[in-house]
Amino acid sequence: MHYSVRHTTRFQYTAPISESVTEVRMQPRSTEYQQCSLFRLQVRPQARLFVYTDAQQNTVHHFTQPGVHQQLVIVAESEVLVYPRPLLPERLPDDAWVQIDDSNAAGAHYEMLMPSEVTAPTDRLAQLAKELNVARRGDPLSLLIELNHMLHRAIAYDAGSTRVDSPIDEALHHRRGVCQDYTHIMLALVRYYLHIPCRYVSGYLFHSRTDTSADGASHAWLDVWLPTLGWVGFDPTNDMLVGERHIEVAVGRDYTDVPPTRGIYKGNAGSELAVHVRVRMLQGAVNEDDADATDGDQTPVYRSTAQQLHARYAETLAAIQMQQQQQQ
């Protein structure tokens, strides 16, 4: 499948700022199953762009805005070919768990077994693991497919319930979340209860009408390393395996390793972030209404303000403190 992606990010500041430094991870990876044939990054105000490859082979662009400005706009455009993945076997060999343990003992993919701030084990995670019977049993591949399905049913998708970098306890407390929450929770379950290396994947999804996740935004899922198969993608948000509709951008331990944008600025000002993502198929018919649409006319799917984030954090903290008092 051949796709075009347009990812628009706007930072609006409440007052002029004198300087900003920004990192961007928006260029799709070129892998065995996909090829990025075009990538273009535009920044307003204009800035000189630099690029490097990080430890996980993700492409990272970075730039500095030394002048005074009150808005920063980042537009990433790409074209990506995504190839069909081979069919998975019905089950893995009988010694699959032994092969996983041998690989872990040799230090392979050790960083994808290490604890991370966002996916640290908690009491609520332990409760969910018990409910879903997350323990080594049977065949690892069949168990992961089962877990992918059960987690999809256990958590309700709610675009306004959490932030992209929320700790898993926030989603587990309300049993509601977004694709980053589904992914972080399954990462934690697979790492701490099954002891299988797994990694966070940020990217895009070409949506169908039956998908749970929101169209017009970036997407997230996880890769799990399995013997004889390598990295296998699971999308618990939509209860499916990763396939031709998934476009991979960056991989890491969790969201904090690979946010689409990360930066700092100098100035006494608040900021508002608005993001819109458009993924289109380059083959076949295109809806004329969609073809005439521009990002300027679209309502951003993700919008947050510093004040809203602080308010949500305070509400969550108060709820946790109240629960702790009730347990005493």
Side-chain angles (χ1 to χ4, degrees), residues 40-307:
R40 180 168 53 244
L41 187 65
Q42 297 176 306
V43 178
R44 297 193 302 271
Q46 291 185 349
R48 184 180 178 183
L49 300 176
F50 299 88
V51 63
Y52 70 92
T53 302
D54 68 14
Q56 297 299 328
Q57 301 304 304
N58 305 309
T59 301
V60 185
H61 294 81
H62 62 102
F63 57 89
T64 300
Q65 299 281 9
V68 175
H69 57 286
Q70 198 166 345
Q71 179 178 254
L72 172 62
V73 180
I74 303 167
V75 180
E77 297 176 294
S78 55
E79 292 184 6
V80 188
L81 281 164
V82 182
Y83 308 111
R85 297 177 183 240
L87 293 176
L88 294 175
E90 291 186 5
R91 58 180 294 113
L92 293 182
D94 293 339
D95 65 344
W97 288 113
V98 174
Q99 291 185 53
I100 291 170
D101 290 338
D102 289 346
S103 177
N104 292 344
H109 314 300
Y110 73 93
E111 71 276 17
M112 299 308 171
L113 282 168
M114 298 289 287
S116 71
E117 182 178 356
V118 182
T119 62
T122 67
D123 291 341
R124 290 195 179 103
L125 183 71
Q127 179 182 347
L128 180 66
K130 185 176 180 180
E131 290 176 17
L132 303 183
N133 189 23
V134 183
R136 285 189 168 191
R137 50 187 165 84
D139 160 49
L141 176 59
S142 302
L143 177 58
L144 288 165
I145 293 173
E146 176 187 323
L147 177 58
N148 195 61
H149 174 68
M150 291 191 300
L151 183 58
H152 172 79
R153 294 172 60 89
I155 305 294
Y157 186 88
D158 183 350
S161 59
T162 60
R163 307 180 307 277
V164 291
D165 59 347
S166 295
I168 57 175
D169 253 13
E170 191 170 329
L172 289 172
H173 175 63
H174 300 287
R175 293 295 175 98
R176 311 181 74 83
V178 294
C179 58
Q180 289 83 7
D181 299 306
Y182 285 87
T183 302
H184 284 149
I185 292 169
M186 188 161 172
L187 282 170
L189 291 171
V190 174
R191 284 176 183 163
Y192 300 116
Y193 294 92
L194 303 181
H195 306 292
I196 307 177
C198 50
R199 63 189 186 184
Y200 181 98
V201 186
S202 69
Y204 309 109
L205 179 67
F206 181 71
H207 276 78
S208 74
R209 293 181 179 180
T210 58
D211 292 332
T212 302
S213 55
D215 194 4
S218 58
H219 192 48
W221 59 93
L222 69 152
D223 282 345
V224 182
W225 184 87
L226 293 171
T228 73
L229 298 178
W231 295 106
V232 178
F234 295 85
D235 183 348
T237 309
N238 295 299
D239 189 18
M240 62 183 176
L241 295 172
V242 171
E244 284 186 86
R245 295 194 291 120
H246 292 80
I247 301 170
E248 182 178 309
V249 173
V251 299
R253 293 168 301 170
D254 57 34
Y255 173 85
T256 62
D257 279 352
V258 291
T261 58
R262 175 170 26 219
I264 58 173
Y265 63 88
K266 185 186 296 182
N268 186 19
S271 65
E272 183 180 283
L273 169 65
V275 176
H276 184 264
V277 173
R278 185 190 67 197
V279 181
R280 288 181 176 168
M281 189 182 297
L282 291 179
Q283 297 173 344
V286 177
N287 185 290
E288 292 181 0
D289 293 336
D290 290 341
D292 294 336
T294 63
D295 287 317
D297 298 329
Q298 299 288 336
T299 300
V301 169
Y302 176 77
R303 182 180 292 273
S304 67
T305 64
Q307 292 85 355

